[in-house]
Amino acid sequence: MVLYARVLCRPLPVRSLAALVLLATFTSIATFASAQVVSEASAVAIDGEPAAVETGLELERDRNWADAVRHYETETRNYPSSKTLYQRLVISRIHYDVNRRYRDESFRQSVRDLGTGQALDLYAEALANLETHYVDNIDWSRVLIHGTAALEVALTEQCFIDRVLPHADPAAIERFRLNVHHTLKDRSTATRFDLRANVAYVAGAAHSELGLSGTATVLEYLSGAISTLDPYTRLLSPRQLDEMFSSIEGNFVGLGIELKAESDHLQILSVIPGGPAEEAGVRAGEKIVRVESSRTDRVNPDLAADLLRGPEHSYVSIGIVDPQGKPRDLRVQRRRVDVPCVENVHIVDSDNSVGYMRLTNFQKTTTRDVERALWQLHRQGMRSLVIDVRGNPGGLLSAAVEVADRFLDAGRIVTTRGRNARENFDYMAHRANTWSVPLAVLIDRDSASASEIFAGAIADSGRGAIVGETSYGKGSVQGIFRMQSAKFGLCLTTAKFYSPNGRAISRNGVKPNLAVTPTYIAARPGANGKLTLDREDAVLQMAIQQFSGDNKISLRQ
């Protein structure tokens, strides 16, 4: 087993039929839910956020689910007590997930290939893992309600209807959708075995009344039950499961580019050296405006990004616009690419011999790559070091612990606590192989999970300066379970983690002791698409100042 915090990497014994990977994972579009979900809930604005609610509802009316989820994610952080925003986020996320699943060929293939009995076995296996490993006690009645809500939502989405109910009477679909909750009203929800029986009952009714595949019904119940538990627990399709373990290993099949979805294009943030995109002439700062026949100003950019995926050695046609506005068309091969987790290693201030490295994620190779970068900088005369984890969404828990251990000679690094005592660990630093170089760590609002484990350990120990803005605040650990009933995975929250001083990271984040208004990150594209220079990165410059003259950081004794 591997520990993953994204928030991936300490091997552990297999604890159940599933191979387990403990993760603390941050995802840019998170699932959020604790309130009871009602598919057509009305929104009543609360003082302080009526405009936020109305903006979200407008996105919902346009069925722009990806933007609705992003909007509600932001606003629930601005108004954490708003039940309305919270509920709208849950509903928007369910809509978004249905569309995402039915764009995923591996999921659609599972709907076609799995029998109803096999799907029910998968559902029962997932519930058993919830009962044993989930961080909180499970309310089985709520699990069933959320699964039913997911089926209701799916029955309103054209992608679902086109794939599994192409010849059904729309009026019959709507009747079934409105009545499905009532058919379960008097049925027991005391145990997970009751839930399996209830879902089998609904699957039979849906097949009888609509001709709906029993497998499609069960998988909606499974997806809804899992994805609404918390922001980070989710069902992994066969493709997503493969991608997750590729991410852990530090490689994937693709073009070798890092993207950010904007409103009408895909911004290229970085290009992996030696990858197919670099060989084709793609450069950081450029924009993708077309994938095959889909233009990003006419389809959701997230959908366009999905079209970039494909089998190894296949080709994809893309339209590129450079920072000067000059367009060109390229045909790029998809290949397996090794993903660097340490980049832009150099002496950033030669006068004071300040070294710099940016960690993009925490994966199996991170500890090795950080050690190589440290020796590279040491040979160049490094006397102090800036480690940049801005925009780093996390990764392997063990990798974060190992990197922190390189700079701490004693004391606690992080603590994890779960409902199951086997999730309780205290990770301690060791004197061997410790680097004593003066240190500053750069963080921002997108530094999450494993990044927060690393930054929190440096902050609480007083080992170095924390520069930037408060981090994201994702303080939970997930386990990746390989299902045995079918090729699916379960990314399940199993524990919460705490900084060395016992501070909960969830919703609090790591706070900098030198707050700096965020700017564009050095060697990353700025607003004009051009790469940001070191001197233009105000957060980096503030860190560099701490190593000069009277500001010089003193080492903890």
Side-chain angles (χ1 to χ4, degrees), residues 20-70:
L20 176 61
V21 177
L22 282 186
L23 291 137
T25 301
F26 166 70
T27 51
S28 61
I29 301 180
T31 306
F32 232 96
S34 66
Q36 176 172 322
V37 178
V38 180
S39 179
E40 297 297 330
S42 60
V44 179
I46 303 171
D47 289 346
E49 91 282 346
V53 172
E54 182 52 41
T55 298
L57 291 174
E58 184 64 31
L59 292 168
E60 291 188 53
R61 285 190 285 270
D62 292 340
R63 306 190 76 78
N64 191 342
W65 301 116
D67 286 349
V69 170
R70 292 192 187 99

Side-chain angles (χ1 to χ4, degrees), residues 239-467:
R239 175 182 63 79
Q240 290 174 318
L241 183 63
D242 289 342
E243 289 178 352
M244 179 66 77
F245 282 99
S246 290
S247 173
I248 293 171
E249 297 294 333
N251 62 73
F252 68 98
V253 173
L255 307 187
I257 52 179
E258 181 183 353
L259 298 172
K260 180 182 179 182
E262 301 289 1
S263 60
D264 61 353
H265 67 274
L266 297 171
Q267 180 70 53
I268 300 172
L269 299 180
S270 66
V271 180
I272 294 175
E278 185 188 57
E279 293 176 3
V282 178
R283 298 291 177 262
E286 296 182 318
K287 304 173 182 178
I288 295 178
V289 296
R290 177 188 58 78
V291 182
E292 297 295 349
S293 61
S294 298
R295 294 192 56 84
T296 56
D297 58 354
R298 297 175 186 168
V299 301
N300 189 295
D302 288 313
L303 173 58
D306 280 346
L307 297 176
L308 293 172
R309 308 176 192 272
E312 189 172 5
H313 304 306
S314 63
Y315 285 82
V316 61
S317 173
I318 59 175
I320 297 281
V321 174
D322 68 17
Q324 290 72 45
K326 183 179 179 180
R328 68 187 191 280
D329 295 323
L330 296 172
R331 191 166 177 262
V332 186
Q333 187 182 44
R334 302 176 177 100
R335 295 206 308 263
R336 185 160 296 279
V337 180
D338 290 327
V339 182
C341 55
V342 181
E343 65 179 27
N344 199 19
V345 180
H346 67 293
I347 297 295
V348 70
D349 178 5
S350 56
D351 291 340
N352 294 288
S353 300
V354 181
Y356 173 90
M357 68 175 77
R358 182 167 185 268
L359 308 188
T360 60
N361 64 89
F362 290 88
Q363 59 193 34
K364 275 191 175 182
T365 62
T366 299
T367 306
R368 179 200 68 193
D369 293 347
V370 167
E371 192 73 12
R372 286 178 178 174
L374 286 168
W375 282 108
Q376 175 185 329
L377 293 169
H378 176 73
R379 288 190 291 269
Q380 296 172 12
M382 171 183 68
R383 294 202 301 268
S384 53
L385 175 64
V386 177
I387 295 183
D388 191 346
V389 293
R390 289 176 294 175
N392 184 324
L396 283 169
L397 171 61
S398 58
V401 168
E402 290 168 4
V403 172
D405 198 9
R406 288 295 182 271
F407 301 98
L408 299 170
D409 57 12
R412 184 177 288 110
I413 294 173
V414 67
T415 297
T416 63
R417 293 290 182 265
R419 180 168 58 92
N420 188 323
R422 289 177 293 181
E423 311 298 342
N424 299 339
F425 295 94
D426 292 299
Y427 296 90
M428 308 299 292
H430 307 85
R431 183 174 297 277
N433 302 316
T434 298
W435 288 75
S436 59
V437 59
L439 182 65
V441 177
L442 311 187
I443 62 174
D444 66 8
R445 69 188 65 183
D446 295 323
S447 303
S449 216
S451 297
E452 295 174 290
I453 290 173
F454 171 69
I458 301 302
D460 281 10
S461 66
R463 174 63 178 80
I466 309 297
V467 186

